Amino acid sequence: MNSNKSAWGFLLPFLLLFVVFLIGPLIYAFYISLFVQRMGVLHFVGFQNYLIALQNTDFWVSILRVLYYGVLQGVVMIGLAIVLALLLDTPYAKAKSFFRLVYFLPYAVPGILAAILWGFLYSDKIDPLVSAIHFQPLSTGTLLYSILNITVWEWAGYNMTIYVASLTGQSQELFEAARIDGCGEWKLAFAVKLPLLKPTIVMTVLLSMIGSVQMFNEPFILGNLTAISPSYTPNIAIYNMAIGDSNEPYGATLAVLLGVISIGLSFIALLITGGIGRRRRDKAERHSVQSQQNVQVHLSQG
């Protein structure tokens, strides 16, 4: 009984924050989404706003844009983080603590400040390099990739730290056994370390996708330097609808749809990571049973 009380005591702060800052706003947003606002008065219309939102091409294009951005981010940022983690995990790497700090430092810069900093660097009036090569990072065709560059700069070191921690938690005897068997560092990285990192990689990729769907800071800040669509990302569309146009019910409708999409991606992440964990446990159990059978056969023959 005392242990149950202690467990609820530890869970209570989280549950309060979860309800106040996630469940409560979601319920309120869903409630507001069932109304329309006319002359400052709310009128109940049921799911009419959702029918309109399903036909809102700009909103769904913004969803596809952030999903495409999420795929690019997953490939570039996660790939770079994996390479850095594997390089720092080799015995040939020098000054590991220094380079871990250097790679991690951009994550310490707040997202708003990072967007402002890169906004100046992207400006051909301020950056002489951009002006010299006649490149326009903030043009319509390159803006998404310029935002991708900011995100990779800021988050690659963070993900690298997660992979380094995951590799550090693995059995070092396994790596030593592979080296004794003649496994070089390249083969060790691709044949042993990468498979061990697979669950962590899957988790970070899917979390990256969820973060991409919620992208707001970078395009909002860069929007002060170049013209972007008012529905460039789903969150910007929601902000402009609820704050700019003062249409809170329809903004709440788009927010609920975005929340459902984010929860769906989270659910997929749990299914995938849970499936990988089960397969690893089944494989370990099969290996253990096989080892016991081999020992029994060896003893019977002896």
Side-chain angles (χ1 to χ4, degrees):
M1 181 65 73
N2 289 331
S3 61
N4 288 337
K5 288 182 179 178
S6 300
W8 279 109
F10 283 112
L11 281 175
L12 190 59
F14 165 76
L15 289 176
L16 285 175
L17 293 174
F18 186 72
V19 170
V20 171
F21 292 105
L22 183 64
I23 301 300
L26 273 178
I27 293 174
Y28 179 71
F30 178 72
Y31 170 75
I32 290 294
S33 69
L34 302 178
F35 293 83
V36 294
Q37 192 170 16
R38 298 191 184 103
M39 306 296 290
V41 179
L42 294 176
H43 299 272
F44 181 78
V45 292
F47 290 94
Q48 179 181 325
N49 285 331
Y50 290 93
L51 295 177
I52 296 173
L54 291 175
Q55 300 173 18
N56 187 338
T57 306
D58 291 340
F59 178 72
W60 292 107
V61 168
S62 71
I63 292 284
L64 293 177
R65 181 180 292 116
V66 293
L67 289 177
Y68 170 68
Y69 169 85
V71 172
L72 288 179
Q73 179 181 261
V75 173
V76 178
M77 181 183 68
I78 300 299
L80 178 61
I82 292 172
V83 170
L84 292 176
L86 291 175
L87 287 175
L88 288 178
D89 196 60
T90 62
Y92 305 108
K94 307 296 181 186
K96 295 182 180 180
S97 299
F98 171 75
F99 283 106
R100 283 175 193 162
L101 177 63
V102 169
Y103 296 145
F104 184 78
L105 272 180
Y107 176 70
V109 179
I112 296 290
L113 293 182
I116 294 173
L117 169 68
W118 279 99
F120 285 126
L121 294 176
Y122 288 155
S123 173
D124 56 356
K125 298 178 181 176
I126 299 176
D127 190 341
L129 178 62
V130 172
S131 177
I133 62 177
H134 302 291
F135 179 59
Q136 298 292 331
L138 299 179
S139 65
T140 304
T142 58
L143 179 60
L144 190 67
Y145 304 101
S146 299
I147 294 173
L148 175 67
N149 179 56
I150 299 174
T151 308
V152 171
W153 175 80
E154 191 169 13
W155 288 88
Y158 171 81
N159 287 287
M160 178 214 69
T161 305
I162 294 176
Y163 299 142
V164 169
S166 180
L167 287 171
T168 306
Q170 302 295 336
S171 171
Q172 298 302 310
E173 288 80 5
L174 176 63
F175 299 154
E176 289 301 322
R179 291 189 181 97
I180 292 172
D181 286 343
C183 194
E185 289 301 322
W186 282 107
K187 190 173 182 181
L188 180 64
F190 287 100
V192 180
K193 293 180 180 178
L194 268 182
L196 290 174
L197 279 177
K198 190 174 179 181
T200 309
I201 294 172
V202 171
M203 182 192 70
T204 51
V205 167
L206 291 171
L207 288 177
S208 171
M209 286 291 294
I210 294 170
S212 301
V213 172
Q214 300 171 351
M215 181 170 59
F216 179 81
N217 289 340
E218 292 83 0
F220 184 77
I221 295 297
L222 296 180
N224 294 302
L225 301 173
T226 186
I228 67 170
S229 166
S231 58
Y232 192 75
T233 70
N235 267 338
I236 287 183
I238 293 167
Y239 173 84
N240 287 326
M241 187 59 64
I243 306 299
D245 297 343
S246 300
N247 190 348
E248 294 177 6
Y250 190 61
T253 304
L254 300 181
V256 170
L257 289 175
L258 182 62
V260 170
I261 293 171
S262 299
I263 292 172
L265 289 174
S266 303
F267 186 67
I268 293 172
L270 290 175
L271 284 179
I272 293 176
T273 52
I276 290 174
R278 282 195 298 273
R279 285 198 295 274
R280 291 189 69 186
R281 287 193 295 272
D282 293 342
K283 186 178 180 179
E285 289 175 358
R286 288 196 300 271
H287 181 73
S288 176
V289 170
Q290 185 65 41
S291 299
Q292 291 176 1
Q293 290 175 346
N294 291 339
V295 170
Q296 290 175 355
V297 170
H298 179 72
L299 291 175
S300 63
Q301 290 176 347

